[in-house]
Amino acid sequence: MSGIAGIIRFDGVPVEAGLVEGMTGAMAYRGPDGINHWCKGPVALGQCMLRTTPESLEECQPLCNDDESLVLVLDGRLDNWEELRAELLGCGAVLRDRSDAELVLNAYQTWGEDCLAHLDGDFALVIWDARQHKAFCARDRMGLKPFHYHWRDGILVFASELHPILTLPWVTQVPNQGMLAEFLAAKWFSRDETLWTGVMRLVAAHCMVIGAGGLQLKPYWAPDLNATLPYTTDAQYIAHYRELLFDIVRRQSRSHKPVAIDVSGGLDSSALFCIAERLRHDGLLPAPGTDGYTLAFTGDSAADEIAYARAVGEHTGTTIHEIPPTIQPLEWYAEQAQTYKEFPGFPNADMLMGILKEAAKKSCVQITGEGGDHWLQGSREHYADLIAQGHWYAAAKHFRADASAFGSKNAIAWFARNGVFALLPMTLQSRLRWLVHTVKGRRPPTADNWLSPPMLQEFNKRKALAMAQPNWGKHKPGQVDLLQALHRALGAQLLERAERRNARAGIEIRHPFFSHRFVQFAFSTPPHLRLQGNISKVIHRQGMKDVLPRVILERNDKAEFSGVFRLKLDAMEGAFTMEIPSKRPTWVTEVGMIDLFASYRNKPQSGWLVWILWSIYVCDTIFKPS
């Protein structure tokens, strides 16, 4: 269920049906199974359909209640459809079909705006409530379904993508200088803005109500930072973890076609494939089958993981389809940027397009291992947690274990850095890090090296606002890495780009590790279960002992994909040091760009430097005159 769009005029002026039809037409690839509209007076809604579940075969949107006082457009899927159906029937609801959209509409009829507490899944939705003359909009807890909107002079416009909104005559295309500064510095702070002034994103776990009182935004979910589980041993946590992950994979595999699953050969995606295969073998997978896909690199040993993927295939008795990485030319990125008026993505992610093309031939759902690093990688701040709580005996026990396994020198460094240092105020931590890097001569290039004075001023203003103590509530030191992952602006953008790439290929993307249930479990778990010494994802490795092959369980390295950036950047010195500075003097300085490219030449594998250069190049293409 792949795209929504609409125009709602609160001034009562009728909306021309052709306007919303133009919006859905601009993203017609989101509706391979049909595009439909509902227009009545000042309200025009559209939905692009991709049918992915057996229940969606009965679905038609926009969906109205019997008297058309409520109209829903939904891009989404519910993972608690079984429980929600039973709950609604118990409340006396009359369900006309088995679709998720019918469940959502009835949930709103039953609980009003509180319905979001009853919905578990990935969704972006709008409900026009004619009874109260208001629009109720919401986005799922992790922001896995996109939602863009524009609100001005009593007119609400929304769409799954940005460019349909820009097609409307009253939406001006004015560059957002603050957001542009973030892109040019390759350091992102804003989660609700886009590169265009006035076109916004609805932030994950937020809802929006527009009515007589204007526009009101409010969060409806956040992880409970004080939640604990009634366990006293690591084995109990591990058993819970295993049960939870199996259940999430089962729910997210619901499809009327075989499920395509990424199998990179890493701990995360490999586990999801092996779990799905075990569920299939046991008759518990709500899909006709599974297919595993991996990238087959040649000539790039740093990126090659094919041996690990093959080990997964041998372990499960299946064939993992090996697909060459897709290497798009620069002209492709320029065309994408100009067409969609949005950042087209990074070359390392677009390598997957060949997999999507192949998978879409027989599947409508792709499952990925994204999110495993976010919630399982861990940090050594469990020392700080134990010290803050006065659990000195437990801290000493962990210290002795680390010293025994990794040496006293490492254990002392970890205790000092992640125990004592982590308890210092954040501002003091930042200053001390800056001082250490300066003394050791390790300070990397900073945005003031290449940004023009006006752009640097804009960037520093945003940075100062973002660096103020975040409003995370009272939390433990061991939860800082999780909170950073949850609120990271770049992470939100990357998820949106992945969803957009899949939608254009005609296959829905799902991320079990981004289930809000999984995220809450991470916040409720002792940090030492994620990282012990130099071993990360401890709870995952322990829980998957009989699921994954040993070579995967013991893997500690990761593939490195900077090579695909270098294929582009190495030949672009002139563009970065002469062409872009001469065209964009209000963005960057020539001297700064020369220094930046020289830094890249000296360290071509630096992920940070290649992202900066790529971001500058793409911004230039987005704002080229048509």
Side-chain angles (χ1 to χ4, degrees):
M1 292 153 277
S2 192
I4 58 174
I7 303 169
I8 301 176
R9 297 194 61 129
F10 287 84
D11 57 7
V13 176
V15 176
E16 295 180 25
L19 291 175
V20 74
E21 290 170 1
M23 293 177 72
T24 54
M27 53 180 187
Y29 44 81
R30 284 183 171 269
D33 293 323
I35 299 175
N36 291 297
H37 306 89
W38 182 90
C39 301
K40 189 172 184 179
V43 180
L45 306 176
Q47 199 261 355
C48 305
M49 179 66 75
L50 170 65
R51 303 188 189 279
T52 60
T53 68
E55 292 76 14
S56 69
L57 300 176
E58 303 177 13
E59 184 171 317
C60 185
Q61 290 192 52
L63 181 65
C64 306
N65 65 349
D66 291 337
D67 63 3
E68 293 195 348
S69 61
L70 298 176
V71 190
L72 163 75
V73 283
L74 166 74
D75 172 23
R77 174 201 79 257
L78 297 178
D79 292 334
N80 66 331
W81 78 99
E82 298 159 312
E83 295 87 347
L84 182 57
R85 173 175 292 276
E87 192 175 10
L88 286 168
L89 291 173
C91 292
V94 178
L95 300 176
R96 298 167 295 183
D97 59 46
R98 299 184 304 146
S99 71
D100 289 3
E102 178 74 1
L103 294 176
V104 172
L105 186 63
N106 274 272
Y108 181 82
Q109 287 189 114
T110 303
W111 299 294
E113 295 176 18
D114 293 335
C115 67
L116 298 175
H118 300 261
L119 307 182
D120 176 11
D122 306 341
F123 56 81
L125 64 88
V126 175
I127 296 175
W128 169 245
D129 189 337
R131 301 168 304 185
Q132 302 185 55
H133 197 69
K134 72 177 184 182
F136 177 66
C137 316
R139 193 174 179 191
D140 64 78
R141 294 165 179 82
M142 304 307 297
L144 300 175
K145 291 292 185 179
F147 190 101
H148 298 80
Y149 69 96
H150 180 274
W151 166 252
R152 194 182 71 184
D153 299 332
I155 304 174
L156 171 68
V157 180
F158 64 88
S160 294
E161 296 194 28
L162 183 153
H163 68 282
I165 295 175
L166 295 177
T167 65
L168 298 171
W170 63 87
V171 179
T172 55
Q173 296 188 26
V174 178
N176 179 343
Q177 294 297 312
M179 200 66 184
L180 178 58
E182 294 186 17
F183 273 89
L184 294 174
K187 192 170 181 64
W188 294 270
F189 307 116
S190 174
R191 292 197 296 154
D192 64 346
E193 297 180 61
T194 72
L195 282 165
W196 301 97
T197 300
V199 182
M200 307 294 288
R201 290 180 173 90
L202 184 59
V203 176
H206 279 65
C207 61
M208 178 171 69
V209 179
I210 302 178
L215 184 150
Q216 296 179 317
L217 287 166
K218 58 183 178 181
Y220 67 86
W221 177 86
D224 185 346
L225 304 183
N226 298 310
T228 58
L229 294 167
Y231 303 141
T232 57
T233 68
D234 290 357
Q236 291 173 313
Y237 282 101
I238 292 166
H240 184 134
Y241 175 88
R242 179 187 173 91
E243 181 181 352
L244 175 66
L245 189 55
F246 266 75
D247 186 58
I248 291 171
V249 172
R250 179 186 69 83
R251 291 173 183 271
Q252 293 204 10
S253 297
R254 182 169 57 122
S255 173
H256 69 92
K257 293 182 179 180
V259 177
I261 304 178
D262 285 350
V263 186
S264 69
L267 278 161
D268 307 328
S269 62
S270 299
L272 299 183
F273 181 75
C274 291
I275 289 172
E277 271 297 288
R278 184 165 295 190
L279 290 169
R280 182 190 64 80
H281 181 271
D282 293 342
L284 299 175
L285 189 79
T290 64
D291 283 293
Y293 296 86
T294 192
L295 289 176
F297 288 87
T298 56
D300 188 350
S301 58
D304 185 19
E305 299 179 281
I306 199 70
Y308 293 108
R310 288 173 180 171
V312 173
E314 183 178 348
H315 182 72
T316 55
T318 60
T319 298
I320 306 298
H321 303 288
E322 300 174 8
I323 310 296
T326 300
I327 308 298
Q328 298 287 7
L330 280 176
E331 294 76 17
W332 182 86
Y333 288 97
E335 181 184 355
Q336 294 284 304
Q338 285 282 287
T339 301
Y340 300 113
K341 306 293 185 182
E342 176 66 289
F343 198 90
F346 294 97
N348 59 333
D350 293 324
M351 294 187 301
L352 297 167
M353 293 181 68
I355 286 181
L356 297 182
K357 182 178 180 180
E358 192 64 29
K361 293 177 181 178
K362 57 187 300 188
S363 300
C364 57
V365 169
Q366 179 201 29
I367 288 178
T368 85
E370 287 296 317
D373 287 348
H374 293 66
W375 318 116
L376 294 172
Q377 197 71 21
S379 68
R380 298 187 181 91
E381 269 68 28
H382 60 270
Y383 278 122
D385 275 353
L386 295 172
I387 293 172
Q389 296 170 40
H391 296 161
W392 290 98
Y393 177 80
K397 178 181 177 182
H398 285 294
F399 177 84
R400 288 193 297 270
D402 282 343
S404 175
F406 304 102
S408 298
K409 184 177 180 180
N410 283 328
I412 292 170
W414 294 336
F415 185 86
R417 185 185 308 121
N418 305 105
V420 179
F421 181 80
L423 292 172
L424 298 176
M426 294 295 289
T427 53
L428 181 56
Q429 290 186 37
S430 298
R431 290 172 184 171
L432 288 174
R433 287 193 188 97
W434 180 89
L435 180 62
V436 170
H437 288 156
T438 301
V439 170
K440 293 185 176 182
R442 294 181 182 170
R443 286 190 65 200
T446 54
D448 56 2
N449 291 108
W450 64 89
L451 291 185
S452 69
M455 200 59 72
L456 179 62
Q457 183 180 12
E458 188 70 43
F459 174 75
N460 285 335
K461 181 170 64 176
R462 285 174 163 263
K463 181 179 178 180
L465 187 63
M467 295 320 248
Q469 185 67 30
N471 185 24
W472 290 342
K474 189 175 181 180
H475 59 275
K476 305 180 182 96
Q479 294 175 327
V480 169
D481 63 317
L482 301 175
L483 287 164
Q484 289 173 337
L486 185 66
H487 296 283
R488 189 172 292 132
L490 176 59
Q493 291 182 34
L494 294 177
L495 286 171
E496 281 188 7
R497 287 179 203 138
E499 192 279 340
R500 189 172 67 218
R501 183 174 60 248
N502 275 56
R504 290 172 188 170
I507 185 167
E508 181 183 349
I509 193 168
R510 300 179 185 174
H511 309 290
F513 289 113
F514 274 106
S515 163
H516 79 94
R517 296 167 60 212
F518 192 89
V519 174
Q520 180 61 68
F521 177 80
F523 275 94
S524 306
T525 307
H528 76 271
L529 285 174
R530 297 195 298 276
L531 180 68
Q532 293 179 12
N534 279 339
I535 307 300
S536 65
K537 304 184 180 180
V538 173
I539 192 170
H540 183 71
R541 295 175 195 266
Q542 293 293 322
M544 298 293 106
K545 269 188 174 180
D546 68 330
V547 175
L548 285 169
R550 184 173 178 179
V551 67
I552 304 293
L553 283 169
E554 296 179 351
R555 187 178 177 188
N556 283 315
D557 64 329
K558 294 184 74 69
E560 199 274 319
F561 300 112
S562 63
V564 69
F565 284 91
R566 296 197 300 273
L567 288 173
K568 307 287 190 299
L569 299 177
D570 284 354
M572 297 175 66
E573 182 171 3
F576 287 116
T577 61
M578 291 184 289
E579 296 169 21
I580 292 177
S582 65
K583 287 188 300 181
R584 309 290 189 182
T586 60
W587 291 11
V588 295
T589 67
E590 183 177 352
V591 172
M593 288 302 297
I594 291 172
D595 288 345
L596 180 63
F597 198 82
S599 296
Y600 161 72
R601 283 290 195 201
N602 293 330
K603 198 174 182 181
Q605 288 187 326
S606 169
W608 187 65
L609 291 171
V610 299
W611 281 45
I612 295 169
L613 289 169
W614 187 257
S615 294
I616 293 171
Y617 160 72
V618 171
C619 286
D620 178 56
T621 63
I622 291 172
F623 294 107
K624 275 183 179 176
S626 301

